[in-house]
Amino acid sequence: MDLPPGYPPPPPAPPSPPPPPSEPPPAEAPAYKYYGQPAAPPARQSSRQLWTILTAVAVVALLLVVGAAYGIAGYATAGSKLTTANRALDTASSHRAAFDKAPSTFQIDRSDAKAFQSDAAAWVQSWTTQSTTIASDDAALTAAGGKLRDQQWLTVIRKGSLDSASGRIDHAHKAMDAAKTIAIDRQAEGKFLVAYANFLNDIETFITKQQGGDPLGALAAASQLPADADKAVSLTADPQFPSELGAYMRSVATVAKDLVDYLNAVTKGDTATAKSLQAKTNDDINAGKLIDISRVPTKIDEFYQPYIDAYHKELALAAGG
């Protein structure tokens, strides 16, 4: 419709209304929380705690491995040391029988000089062998005992067993000390027997030559008497021999010299000197008869007995008895 002139125009049409807002997405339901449930830690803190735990576990595992290795090594090392110690102890103990059976009966009233010489030489050889065996056993015990005290930081796991073995070795050493004394003195005893057996052999040879009509041979045999007698006298100073044995042998040496001097006087035709020496020889023989040597073997046995007892006692303790 046309409006009359001069009439104002109509107002503009109002703007279109805005479109309705989009419908928001439905909200997620909050997580259900039970009573007392702790709040979840932040993700970064949880990661740190995990690594801490894993590190601790690794350290503990390493300690367990190291500890196990230490225990195994210590046990094995101690076992090896104990085996060595027991072997040394067993070896020393195993030699007791031979030691006890070695010759020990002192006897000088022998009628067969040749057999006496052979027995005396065997006596010396037997106790020389014993000395060698004892020294070897003692050295093995020393080596084994030293090893028991090595690496104590490692073998503490078996300290009780190691200490026990060490104590047994100490007892074995005491047994060896007693055995050494016996063996050394028995060797000296054997050397005396050899010298005395040689002296008796000189007498036997002299008698044989004299009775066989060989005066020069008899004189040659008699000339050996003083040297062999003096040798025997020099060996009676050892502590296992009682004083009466020394006195007896000095008397025998005197008679041996008298006899040689008498034979030389006879050979030279010096009747007066020969007669005087014959009287002196008889006097010296009678003086020698007054010396009682019947208890010499018993006194020698008494000398050795404390050492024998100590040897047996300490060896028994070394064996754990």
Side-chain angles (χ1 to χ4, degrees):
M1 178 177 83
D2 295 332
L3 294 176
Y7 191 86
S16 300
S22 310
E23 185 177 351
E28 294 182 3
Y32 176 77
K33 293 183 180 180
Y34 57 84
Y35 178 76
Q37 178 181 3
R44 180 175 299 178
Q45 184 177 358
S46 175
S47 176
R48 288 177 182 173
Q49 287 185 346
L50 176 61
W51 285 114
T52 301
I53 293 171
L54 291 176
T55 301
V57 170
V59 170
V60 170
L62 178 61
L63 290 175
L64 289 175
V65 171
V66 172
Y70 170 83
I72 293 172
Y75 195 90
T77 301
S80 176
K81 295 175 184 294
L82 289 170
T83 298
T84 301
N86 288 330
R87 185 182 299 115
L89 288 164
D90 291 344
T91 300
S93 295
S94 71
H95 293 147
R96 172 179 168 171
F99 182 88
D100 289 342
K101 291 178 181 178
S104 59
T105 302
F106 184 85
Q107 184 181 11
I108 59 175
D109 54 341
R110 300 284 296 271
S111 58
D112 187 340
K114 293 294 185 184
F116 191 8
Q117 284 179 309
S118 177
D119 291 345
W123 177 299
V124 173
Q125 181 58 49
S126 177
W127 283 107
T128 299
T129 299
Q130 287 300 318
S131 288
T132 301
T133 300
I134 293 164
S136 176
D137 289 346
D138 201 39
L141 289 166
T142 298
K147 290 180 180 179
L148 290 175
R149 296 176 178 87
D150 287 344
Q151 299 175 303
Q152 293 185 1
W153 61 271
L154 180 61
T155 58
V156 67
I157 191 171
R158 301 191 70 180
K159 184 177 184 301
S161 297
L162 294 171
D163 288 346
S164 176
S166 181
R168 292 170 60 204
I169 283 181
D170 288 342
H171 284 297
H173 275 307
K174 292 178 182 178
M176 295 301 101
D177 288 343
K180 284 178 192 176
T181 299
I182 295 171
I184 290 172
D185 289 343
R186 287 296 193 190
Q187 286 181 72
E189 193 176 335
K191 290 176 182 178
F192 166 80
L193 292 174
V194 168
Y196 190 71
N198 290 340
F199 173 79
L200 292 183
N201 185 65
D202 294 338
I203 293 178
E204 210 172 78
T205 302
F206 165 74
I207 294 173
T208 300
K209 296 292 184 181
Q210 186 71 19
Q211 291 178 345
D214 183 2
L216 293 179
L219 184 61
S223 66
Q224 299 296 318
L225 288 170
D228 287 337
D230 287 342
K231 177 67 173 178
V233 169
S234 70
L235 295 170
T236 60
D238 287 336
Q240 73 272 33
F241 295 126
S243 59
E244 53 262 45
L245 180 63
Y248 173 79
M249 287 309 306
R250 286 189 292 272
S251 176
V252 168
T254 298
V255 171
K257 186 176 183 305
D258 290 343
L259 178 60
V260 172
D261 290 343
Y262 168 78
L263 292 173
N264 285 331
V266 171
T267 301
K268 294 176 182 178
D270 189 347
T271 305
T273 300
K275 186 176 180 179
S276 173
L277 286 170
Q278 185 178 27
K280 182 179 183 302
T281 301
N282 289 333
D283 290 342
D284 290 339
I285 289 174
N286 290 330
K289 289 179 180 179
L290 297 177
I291 301 173
D292 183 10
I293 60 171
S294 62
R295 282 186 47 78
V296 167
T298 300
K299 289 184 177 182
I300 291 175
D301 290 343
E302 290 172 351
F303 169 84
Y304 286 111
Q305 197 58 52
Y307 297 102
I308 295 172
D309 291 343
Y311 172 70
H312 289 163
K313 174 185 175 182
E314 296 297 337
L315 207 57
L317 291 171

